[in-house]
């Protein structure tokens, strides 16, 4: 987000995507002509997007009339149902709520969304639901959890990427060797920790290029941070000895 937009008349229009950085420094202080975000990447909501003009000089066209699409109402309900089923599975581990119960809803919903490119109007009740969560400071939870975790130092297999002045997305560990990256990722999954790989398959010509992200957002407590930290250190000791 650290960029300068040319002042020439014939310059390109600059559009900022803040889907993974809602209310981050870069989002709040954007210099782009337009900004948008997929709010479900941050907020606990099934669907929803937002578009704004950072400079405030030229407001968006409020006369824009979006059409309703009832297919999206069904997807909202399916994703919401899946989230509830997942919460029930994690809390109770009861046999009547399995992973397949909510994963099948998620997969079907994502398959639908991947083929939809129109901007459509939403139900008023859905809009109010989003507004209830819209102004919460989600980045503060990430920062607090990362500050709580002790830095991972003296481990040869990876380096921890830390941005003390910037809003963090998650716990980022970058590896030189893909083998070590895959080994830690596989081990964490066996311990019910589900990391993601950022920019998989990139061909960046740098020695450190396999980037592991572990979520540390508002869903997780300091006890979860202790659990994650202990297993990363346990893996590093066994990987070194092996």
């Amino acid at each position: 987000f650290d960029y300068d937009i040319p002042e020439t008349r014939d310059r390109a229009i600059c559009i900022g995507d803040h889907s993974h950085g809602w209310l981050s420094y870069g989002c709040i202080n954007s210099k782009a002509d337009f900004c948008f975000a997929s709010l479900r990447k941050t907020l606990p909501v099934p669907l929803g997007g937002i578009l704004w003009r950072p400079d405030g000089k030229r407001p968006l066209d409020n006369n824009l009339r979006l059409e309703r699409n009832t297919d999206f109402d069904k997807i909202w309900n399916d994703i919401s149902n899946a989230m509830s089923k997942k919460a029930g599975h994690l809390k109770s581990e009861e046999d009547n709520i399995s992973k397949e119960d909510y994963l099948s809803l998620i997969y079907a919903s994502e398959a639908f969304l991947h083929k939809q490119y129109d901007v459509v109007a939403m139900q008023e009740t859905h809009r109010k639901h989003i507004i209830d969560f819209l102004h919460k400071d989600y980045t503060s939870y990430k920062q607090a959890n990362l500050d709580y975790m002790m830095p991972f130092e003296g481990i040869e297999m990876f380096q921890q990427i830390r941005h003390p002045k910037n809003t963090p997305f998650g716990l980022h560990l970058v590896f030189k060797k893909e083998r070590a990256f895959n080994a830690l990722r596989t081990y964490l999954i066996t311990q019910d920790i589900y990391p993601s790989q950022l920019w998989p398959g990139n061909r960046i010509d740098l020695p450190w290029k396999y980037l592991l992200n572990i979520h540390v957002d508002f869903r997780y407590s300091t006890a979860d941070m202790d659990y994650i930290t202990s297993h990363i250190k346990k893996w590093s000791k066994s990987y070194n000895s092996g």
Side-chain angles (χ1 to χ4, degrees), residues 20-21 42 53 59 61 64 88 90 100 103-104 134 137 144 165-166 202 206 212 234:
H20 290 288
T42 302
R53 296 199 72 146
D61 182 4
L64 181 64
L90 294 175
E100 287 69 26
L103 287 179
S104 60
L134 194 60
D137 185 4
K165 294 183 179 180
N166 296 340
N202 75 77
L206 292 173
L212 189 77
K234 180 179 180 181

Side-chain angles (χ1 to χ4, degrees), residues 73-89:
D73 297 339
K74 178 182 182 302
I75 296 302
W76 174 289
N77 293 334
D78 286 348
I79 296 177
S80 180
N81 189 21
M83 294 164 70
S84 297
K85 286 180 176 292
K86 182 176 181 179
H89 171 77

Side-chain angles (χ1 to χ4, degrees), residues 148-149 187-188 190-193 221-233:
Y148 175 81
M149 302 175 79
Y187 170 75
L188 292 177
T190 65
Q191 304 303 316
D192 293 325
I193 302 169
S221 65
T222 54
D224 295 318
M225 299 303 102
D226 288 334
Y227 183 80
I228 292 170
T229 300
S230 65
H231 278 293
I232 291 176
K233 290 183 175 179

Side-chain angles (χ1 to χ4, degrees), residues 150-218:
M150 294 295 292
F152 294 96
E153 298 175 344
I155 300 178
E156 295 181 357
M157 290 79 69
F158 62 77
Q159 292 181 357
Q160 181 179 354
I161 300 177
R162 296 178 63 86
H163 296 287
K165 294 183 179 180
N166 296 340
T167 305
F169 175 66
L171 172 62
H172 288 166
L173 307 178
V174 62
F175 293 72
K176 272 187 176 181
K177 297 182 179 180
E178 189 175 15
R179 178 175 174 270
F181 169 89
N182 288 329
L184 175 57
R185 185 183 183 189
T186 300
Y187 170 75
L188 292 177
I189 291 174
T190 65
Q191 304 303 316
D192 293 325
I193 302 169
Y194 300 96
S196 58
Q197 181 178 8
L198 302 185
W199 300 287
N202 75 77
R203 299 181 180 181
I204 187 171
D205 188 19
L206 292 173
W208 300 86
K209 60 181 179 181
Y210 301 103
L211 184 54
L212 189 77
N213 171 71
I214 299 175
H215 294 291
V216 294
D217 54 57
F218 65 95

Side-chain angles (χ1 to χ4, degrees), residues 50-119:
I50 188 169
L51 170 70
W52 73 98
R53 296 199 72 146
D55 59 18
K57 296 177 183 178
R58 293 169 291 175
L60 292 169
D61 182 4
N62 291 327
N63 294 320
L64 181 64
R65 293 291 180 262
L66 300 178
E67 298 294 331
R68 283 291 309 281
N69 184 330
T70 55
D71 288 339
F72 282 84
D73 297 339
K74 178 182 182 302
I75 296 302
W76 174 289
N77 293 334
D78 286 348
I79 296 177
S80 180
N81 189 21
M83 294 164 70
S84 297
K85 286 180 176 292
K86 182 176 181 179
H89 171 77
L90 294 175
K91 289 179 181 178
S92 66
E93 296 292 346
E94 295 179 359
D95 293 336
N96 62 331
I97 304 178
S98 66
K99 286 186 178 181
E100 287 69 26
D101 289 337
Y102 61 84
L103 287 179
S104 60
L105 287 172
I106 292 294
Y107 292 151
S109 299
E110 291 297 329
F112 170 84
L113 294 173
H114 286 170
K115 298 179 181 179
Q116 305 302 317
Y117 303 101
D118 293 333
V119 179

